[in-house]
Amino acid sequence: MPPLVTHMIAAVRAGGQIGPVDAPLDFENGDYLLGATTPDIRVLTRWDRERTHFFDIYDDGHQDCVEKFFNAHRTFRDPSNLSAQTRAWVAGYLTHVIMDQEYVLKIYRPFFGSRSVLGGSSHANLLDRVLQYEMDRRERESGDQMHQIRQSLFGSAVEIDAGFVDRPLLTKWRDTTAAMTEHPPDWERFSFIASRHLKSAGIESESGLQDFMDNIPQLLDDTMSHVDQSALDGFFESTAELTASVLRDWLGTD
């Protein structure tokens, strides 16, 4: 699914569609941005994905991650009962699960999944990782934007009643997330991020990995010819619109 920087940038863009005038919360503050990354806290906890994302990627039936989230955590359903910090965090959290759900439905399954031309093979999953990494790498090219996000994250005192995530863990995750904004916009960390998919594709030796990294430009071209820019643009646009609609409805600003 989209990496953390992509999620934070998308969250800011979705919030921007609600509008800055009389907005119910600051869509660029640290609590909101932290919420936009928190579903991936399972990197630290090793929890099952569905526990934090409220979407089963193996279930082809209709799913609503937002409704599942509120059914699991009913105290979050009414934003008027939440502190400003918790309300911002929940809003950010919603942006993440919506984006991941839409990515599965509109990008992964049609272009890489078991019913796609690539058939959900290990190579298909590796190309999907290449695409996700490139999406994130492009966002990282703006050093000023990364600095602003990092400052916003560290501006959060984590005075958030997250319920299922305690504050010490959430504070550790804030620091982990902020550190990720310092990574340069290159491909040096790809082998670490995609290690599981590389092994599944039979790429484990040092020489094999080097050959793979040398071929990244061609792999990226192959991936972008399979999922063209218009498909990605459509995904980002529709996801931002859906996210803004959900947030307006939840915050009562419609």
Side-chain angles (χ1 to χ4, degrees):
M1 302 309 106
L4 295 182
V5 168
T6 303
H7 270 294
M8 289 188 283
I9 298 297
V12 172
R13 290 171 180 160
Q17 292 203 11
I18 295 177
V21 179
D22 296 326
L25 55 84
D26 179 359
F27 293 105
E28 295 188 14
N29 79 11
D31 300 317
Y32 178 67
L33 295 175
L34 182 60
T37 71
T38 301
D40 284 345
I41 202 169
R42 58 187 291 271
V43 171
L44 299 181
T45 64
R46 301 300 179 185
W47 291 337
D48 290 340
R49 185 181 186 281
E50 195 173 352
R51 177 175 173 178
T52 59
H53 286 72
F54 306 94
F55 186 86
D56 183 354
I57 60 176
Y58 302 107
D59 181 357
D60 289 341
H62 173 73
Q63 300 181 68
D64 185 335
C65 61
V66 173
E67 189 60 26
K68 282 186 176 182
F69 173 77
F70 284 131
N71 284 340
H73 305 287
R74 295 183 182 276
T75 57
F76 296 148
R77 191 178 287 275
D78 184 353
S80 67
N81 292 332
L82 306 176
S83 69
Q85 294 87 351
T86 303
R87 186 162 55 246
W89 178 82
V90 171
Y93 200 107
L94 293 175
T95 71
H96 185 119
V97 295
I98 292 169
M99 187 177 200
D100 273 4
Q101 174 180 278
E102 293 304 293
Y103 185 86
V104 171
L105 296 177
K106 296 183 177 177
I107 299 296
Y108 179 75
R109 285 180 180 170
F111 296 104
F112 303 102
S114 60
R115 297 182 183 179
S116 71
V117 172
L118 295 179
S121 64
S122 58
H123 180 67
N125 287 323
L126 189 54
L127 290 184
D128 175 50
R129 277 291 174 177
V130 167
L131 175 62
Q132 292 176 35
Y133 195 93
E134 173 62 8
M135 287 161 49
D136 209 57
R137 190 201 65 76
R138 291 179 183 180
E139 301 290 11
R140 292 175 187 279
E141 288 184 323
S142 173
D144 290 343
Q145 191 170 42
M146 292 302 95
H147 175 74
Q148 181 178 351
I149 287 175
R150 187 159 56 252
Q151 292 297 105
S152 294
L153 285 169
F154 281 128
S156 169
V158 197
E159 294 178 352
I160 296 164
D161 185 6
F164 62 104
V165 184
D166 62 41
R167 290 187 186 181
L169 176 59
L170 201 54
T171 300
K172 181 178 180 181
W173 180 246
R174 178 203 62 186
D175 296 346
T176 299
T177 301
M180 290 181 182
T181 66
E182 297 178 339
H183 298 153
D186 56 35
W187 285 85
E188 292 302 314
R189 300 188 75 255
F190 181 79
S191 60
F192 171 74
I193 297 295
S195 59
R196 178 169 62 89
H197 297 285
L198 288 165
K199 289 179 180 178
S200 295
I203 302 169
E204 297 187 62
S205 68
E206 186 174 338
S207 61
L209 178 59
Q210 187 58 55
D211 287 344
F212 175 84
M213 296 302 293
D214 289 343
N215 286 324
I216 282 288
Q218 183 59 52
L219 276 173
L220 188 56
D221 286 345
D222 292 345
T223 304
M224 294 308 296
S225 65
H226 185 62
V227 186
D228 63 28
Q229 190 61 48
S230 63
L232 286 177
D233 291 343
F235 157 71
F236 281 114
E237 182 178 351
S238 64
T239 298
E241 291 173 355
L242 174 60
T243 301
S245 175
V246 168
L247 292 182
R248 280 194 295 266
D249 181 61
W250 179 63
L251 293 165
T253 58
D254 277 333

